């Protein structure tokens, strides 16, 4: 069955997407159109050093009343709570986020605190908000997380050493500006990691239990774009055509998975990140083919669509054969963009798998996996295969 037995679903993508070379120049107009008069630019120190912040500040002109750039790579609830105090002191009514997933998620949390007050921890959970939050225009500087259109914000509670997850339709930014100039300076390794994160979002959106035809359409187109353009963006960062197509793909994959969700591969990647600090996109890149092999018996028909999108499926192939062709194509893509194919190559000790497998079982994503996963042993098998 391509879809769940009783197909019923909600699909929402409330974010206005603006794409184009130089689209950043429209930031001011977008904030004004939303009714914003005092904007805080939210970014991080790495981006400040690239000079991109100046471009956005220039575009915002006198709308920009301050810059908050004190966001570490692994943002925290204390960062969001502190940023809210700063934003309130400036009487800010709108936010422009400029950065990767961590910056955009910080701004999503900040939008909540500006509207609702309190601390970020108070809004932890699913659909805890009942009205629109502070105005938010996001300008992603990576092509991968999809955070510019998703309903989730993940921020770490450094004191408790755990992630705080907020998931709510009202968290989606009002506008996402995709400007290839904003990603052209991204180093090859980060381009590869984030690109494979986007591919994993798309493939998981296609195989999960909550898959639906609208999310499929977005995800399959994203897969086609990634298969065509990711290696060009890695090999030549200045290839603005490839960069732009990857931005569109990551955003489409974001729209798909925030509605359909992700599965086992993300659950396992989250655990590797938490226990061994493996970058999210890299963990996904290595685990994705193995997660697909694990799920093959229940969703080969969906993987046949993935194969077709990647240009390796042929009409005469059985679903299983096409599904395996998709798996092989993903492994080839990993090689082509210089990523390792095995967990042993990224310094993950085999002895750590049991702990990671147990952690994966309590991850929110695992319940959406197409093949039900109840036992640690099942997850362990997939880690072992990837080692
Ligand atoms: Fe991801």
């Amino acid at each position: 069955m391509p879809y769940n037995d009783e197909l019923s679903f909600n699909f929402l993508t409330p974010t206005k997407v603006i794409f184009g070379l130089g689209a950043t120049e429209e930031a001011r107009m977008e904030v004004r159109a939303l009714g914003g008069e005092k904007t805080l630019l939210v970014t991080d120190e790495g981006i400040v050093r690239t000079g991109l912040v100046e471009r956005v500040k220039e575009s915002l002109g006198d709308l920009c009343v301050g810059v908050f750039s004190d966001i570490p790579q692994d943002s925290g609830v204390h960062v969001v709570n502190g940023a809210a105090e700063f934003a309130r002191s400036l009487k800010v009514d709108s936010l422009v986020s400029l950065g990767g997933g961590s910056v955009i998620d910080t701004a999503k949390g900040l939008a909540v605190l500006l509207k609702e007050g309190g601390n970020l921890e108070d809004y932890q959970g699913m659909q805890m908000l009942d009205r629109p939050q502070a105005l938010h225009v996001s300008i992603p500087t990576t092509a991968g997380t999809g955070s510019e259109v998703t309903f989730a914000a993940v921020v770490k509670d450094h004191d408790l050493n755990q992630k705080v997850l907020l998931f709510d339709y009202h968290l989606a930014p009002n506008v996402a500006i995709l400007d290839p100039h904003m990603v052209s300076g991204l180093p090859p390794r980060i381009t590869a990691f984030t690109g494979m994160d986007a591919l994993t979002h798309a493939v998981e959106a296609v195989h999960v239990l909550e898959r639906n035809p609208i999310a499929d359409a977005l995800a399959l187109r994203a897969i086609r774009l990634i298969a065509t353009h990711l290696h060009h963006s890695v090999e030549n960062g200045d290839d603005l055509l490839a960069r732009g197509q990857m931005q569109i793909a990551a955003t489409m994959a974001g729209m798909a998975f925030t509605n359909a969700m992700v599965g086992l591969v993300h659950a396992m990647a989250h655990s590797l990140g938490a226990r061994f600090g493996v970058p999210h996109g890299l963990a996904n890149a290595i685990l994705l083919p193995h997660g697909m092999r694990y799920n093959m018996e229940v969703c080969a028909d969906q993987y046949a669509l993935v194969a077709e999108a990647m240009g390796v499926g042929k009409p005469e192939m059985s679903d299983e054969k096409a599904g395996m062709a998709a798996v092989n194509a993903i492994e080839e893509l990993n090689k082509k963009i210089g990523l390792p194919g095995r967990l042993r190559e990224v310094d993950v000790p085999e002895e750590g798998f049991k702990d990671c497998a147990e952690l994966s079982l309590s991850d929110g994503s695992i319940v959406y996996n197409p093949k039900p996963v109840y036992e640690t042993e099942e997850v362990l098998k997939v880690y072992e295969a990837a080692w």
Side-chain angles (χ1 to χ4, degrees):
M1 285 290 290
Y3 302 106
N4 51 29
D5 296 347
E6 295 166 36
L7 180 61
S8 66
F9 64 89
N10 293 347
F11 188 94
L12 179 70
T13 182
T15 304
K16 174 180 180 182
V17 176
I18 299 175
F19 171 79
L21 273 177
T24 306
E25 285 163 25
E26 293 179 39
R28 179 187 174 88
M29 214 167 71
E30 291 305 319
V31 174
R32 291 292 297 131
L34 291 167
E37 290 175 352
K38 287 182 156 204
T39 298
L40 179 67
L41 180 52
V42 181
T43 187
D44 65 30
E45 282 302 318
I47 307 281
V48 171
R49 283 193 291 274
T50 62
L52 295 179
V53 169
E54 286 311 311
R55 279 204 216 179
V56 178
K57 265 174 82 176
E58 213 171 280
S59 153
L60 290 172
D62 60 359
L63 277 184
C64 181
V65 295
V67 177
F68 183 86
S69 60
D70 194 10
I71 303 177
Q73 220 172 29
D74 202 3
S75 186
V77 290
H78 63 287
V79 176
V80 183
N81 293 336
E85 237 171 86
F86 178 63
R88 277 189 211 108
S89 75
L90 296 172
K91 301 199 175 358
V92 157
D93 60 13
S94 46
L95 304 167
V96 170
S97 58
L98 174 71
S102 184
V103 166
I104 298 174
D105 282 8
T106 299
K108 285 173 170 175
L110 185 51
V112 175
L113 299 192
L114 281 179
K115 185 75 178 183
E116 310 288 351
N119 291 311
L120 193 66
E121 304 88 306
D122 306 337
Y123 305 98
Q124 186 164 184
M126 306 283 280
Q127 305 295 359
M128 302 292 280
L129 306 166
D130 55 13
R131 55 181 175 169
Q133 303 300 300
L135 307 172
H136 181 187
V137 172
S138 74
I139 309 175
T141 57
T142 61
T145 69
S147 186
E148 64 279 6
V149 291
T150 67
F151 309 131
V154 184
V155 181
K156 195 168 178 183
D157 185 328
H158 288 264
D159 292 335
L160 298 175
N161 194 27
Q162 63 190 30
K163 300 263 179 177
V164 170
L165 169 74
L166 284 74
F167 188 96
D168 196 292
Y169 292 146
H170 296 299
L171 286 176
N174 303 80
V175 180
I177 296 181
L178 310 180
D179 180 348
H181 286 312
M182 294 288 133
V183 289
S184 59
L186 208 62
R189 256 178 95 70
I190 311 292
T191 303
F193 293 173
T194 47
M196 288 307 288
D197 186 27
L199 181 65
T200 309
H201 294 154
V203 172
E204 291 224 273
V206 168
H207 77 185
V208 282
L209 293 174
E210 304 281 311
R211 62 187 179 250
N212 66 69
I214 301 177
D216 271 9
L218 288 160
L220 291 167
R221 182 66 185 202
I223 291 167
R224 187 178 295 274
L225 290 174
I226 294 166
T228 311
H229 298 286
L230 177 56
H231 65 284
H232 293 302
S233 331
V234 173
E235 283 156 19
N236 176 12
D238 292 326
D239 182 340
L240 293 174
L241 172 80
R243 289 290 198 182
Q245 297 302 299
M246 278 305 300
Q247 285 182 298
I248 296 169
T251 298
M252 291 174 83
M255 290 169 173
F257 92 86
T258 205
N259 282 281
M261 306 311 231
V262 283
L264 175 67
V265 176
H266 263 77
M268 293 175 66
H270 291 153
S271 305
L272 286 179
R275 290 293 185 262
F276 300 109
V278 183
H280 179 68
L282 175 60
N284 275 330
I286 298 174
L287 292 169
L288 180 60
H290 300 283
M292 290 172 75
R293 284 194 191 96
Y294 176 79
N295 285 310
M296 185 68 72
E297 61 182 284
V298 298
C299 53
D301 48 355
Q302 291 294 98
Y303 292 157
L305 300 177
V306 173
E308 195 191 331
M310 296 193 78
V312 294
K314 297 199 178 76
E316 66 273 18
M317 285 177 167
S318 65
D319 286 346
E320 285 71 19
K321 199 149 188 219
M324 282 315 298
V327 172
N328 294 337
I330 291 169
E331 287 182 329
E332 281 305 311
L333 179 58
N334 271 337
K335 262 191 226 154
K336 205 167 173 178
I337 60 175
L339 295 186
R342 302 252 143 223
L343 290 176
R344 71 179 72 191
E345 295 170 70
V346 295
D347 289 335
V348 175
E350 207 179 358
E351 315 78 81
F353 286 161
K354 190 154 190 294
D355 182 31
C356 282
E358 277 164 12
L359 192 61
S360 302
L361 277 188
S362 60
D363 188 282
S365 303
I366 210 160
V367 297
Y368 300 102
N369 195 62
K371 187 167 153 185
V373 189
Y374 302 116
E375 305 290 337
T376 313
E377 297 306 313
E378 297 289 297
V379 188
L380 209 48
K381 266 195 273 178
V382 185
Y383 276 127
E384 293 290 351
W387 199 71

